[in-house]
Amino acid sequence: DTAVSQTPKYLVTQMGNDKSIKCEQNLGHDTMYWYKQDSKKFLKIMFSYNNKELIINETVPNRFSPKSPDKAHLNLHINSLELGDSAVYFCASSQSGGAGGQFFGPGTRLTVL
Amino acid sequence: AQSVTQLDSQVPVFEEAPVELRCNYSSSVSVYLFWYVQYPNQGLQLLLKYLSGSTLVKGINGFEAEFNKSQTSFHLRKPSVHISDTAEYFCAVSDLSSGSARQLTFGSGTQLTVLP
């Protein structure tokens, strides 16, 4: 009964490739997020969707494109991968307003060679 | 814009000793405050949250935190730690002006290591 799931858990790829990470939540939440955690464990918001509408779009290269086909899914597509994209990417979800806190997935460790 | 400062990057403590992990925040508007825990190679798990009301909040695994508005702090405490509490702890703040999607701003994390 995983609340927020991500696939794949690990992703190893070459520079220049295009890859996608998928996220699904079964909590009935209407808001979903992508965070990036760097090698020093610093967490930073990348994107947020509320009811399939893009709400937060931080300063992220255009190579990163989120897509939300419905409220329960938020995918992240990355074009032309670079070495600096290596990180752990976390998906999270919450109800509007966020008073209940955000619930995080297990993360996807992306390694770009 | 808000910011979060976790004053200690690493806190070693002996098993069954008390611990306090410090967190200070900065915001021009009212905020929600959270503590998350991250075990190795796992996602973040919500420990506790402060929204309003009583300044002392209790969370899971015996942790509690106290909101101090005048000192803009939200320190996390546990009276007696266990080896299993070894993890990275993150303080986070969400300001109430950010609309339907509450952007979380995280501190840099504190690695709690419980020694036998």
Side-chain angles (χ1 to χ4, degrees):
Chain A
D1 283 7
T2 305
V4 183
S5 59
Q6 294 178 229
T7 53
K9 189 167 174 61
Y10 298 96
L11 190 50
V12 181
T13 188
Q14 300 284 339
M15 266 197 315
N17 284 350
D18 303 339
K19 290 293 178 186
S20 292
I21 307 172
K22 295 188 175 184
C23 177
E24 178 181 1
Q25 55 94 4
N26 62 6
L27 296 167
H29 291 163
D30 55 11
T31 306
M32 296 184 73
Y33 311 80
W34 278 111
Y35 287 87
K36 179 180 180 180
Q37 186 175 46
D38 63 22
S39 57
K40 296 185 178 177
K41 298 195 175 180
F42 184 70
L43 278 151
K44 187 167 168 51
I45 183 78
M46 298 174 69
F47 302 103
S48 176
Y49 272 75
N50 176 257
N51 284 315
K52 302 194 299 175
E53 182 184 347
L54 181 64
I55 299 295
I56 296 172
N57 185 356
E58 289 295 300
T59 308
V60 175
N62 290 340
R63 299 181 294 102
F64 290 79
S65 53
K67 279 191 172 54
S68 181
D70 56 56
K71 287 196 302 186
H73 296 85
L74 179 62
N75 304 324
L76 183 65
H77 188 75
I78 316 170
N79 289 326
S80 304
L81 278 155
E82 301 178 356
L83 293 176
D85 297 332
S86 294
V88 181
Y89 293 84
F90 287 102
C91 177
S93 71
S94 74
Q95 286 288 22
S96 289
Q102 294 180 18
F103 291 79
F104 283 75
T108 295
R109 182 175 294 275
L110 171 65
T111 304
V112 182
L113 304 174
Chain B
Q2 63 267 28
S3 65
V4 179
T5 302
Q6 290 184 243
L7 297 159
D8 306 298
S9 59
Q10 299 199 32
V11 173
V13 63
F14 286 106
E15 195 173 15
E16 296 183 8
V19 70
E20 179 179 80
L21 306 184
R22 296 181 293 168
C23 172
N24 286 87
Y25 70 93
S26 170
S27 177
S28 56
V29 298
S30 296
V31 295
Y32 292 157
L33 293 157
F34 304 87
W35 274 100
Y36 284 85
V37 60
Q38 184 178 27
Y39 298 103
N41 298 314
Q42 293 188 27
L44 280 76
Q45 182 182 4
L46 181 63
L47 269 181
L48 47 77
K49 61 189 177 188
Y50 172 79
L51 307 180
S52 64
S54 173
T55 57
L56 183 64
V57 292
K58 294 189 183 296
I60 61 172
N61 301 341
F63 284 93
E64 64 181 31
E66 184 151 23
F67 170 60
N68 187 318
K69 187 173 182 179
S70 62
Q71 296 187 4
T72 60
S73 67
F74 190 54
H75 300 333
L76 181 71
R77 294 192 285 260
K78 186 169 182 177
S80 175
V81 294
H82 304 293
I83 297 284
S84 58
D85 292 323
T86 294
E88 190 86 22
Y89 291 79
F90 292 94
C91 181
V93 63
S94 172
D95 78 67
L96 302 189
S97 66
S98 55
S100 57
R102 299 293 189 196
Q103 175 178 339
L104 281 178
T105 299
F106 284 89
S108 52
T110 297
Q111 172 65 43
L112 173 64
T113 302
V114 181
L115 307 166

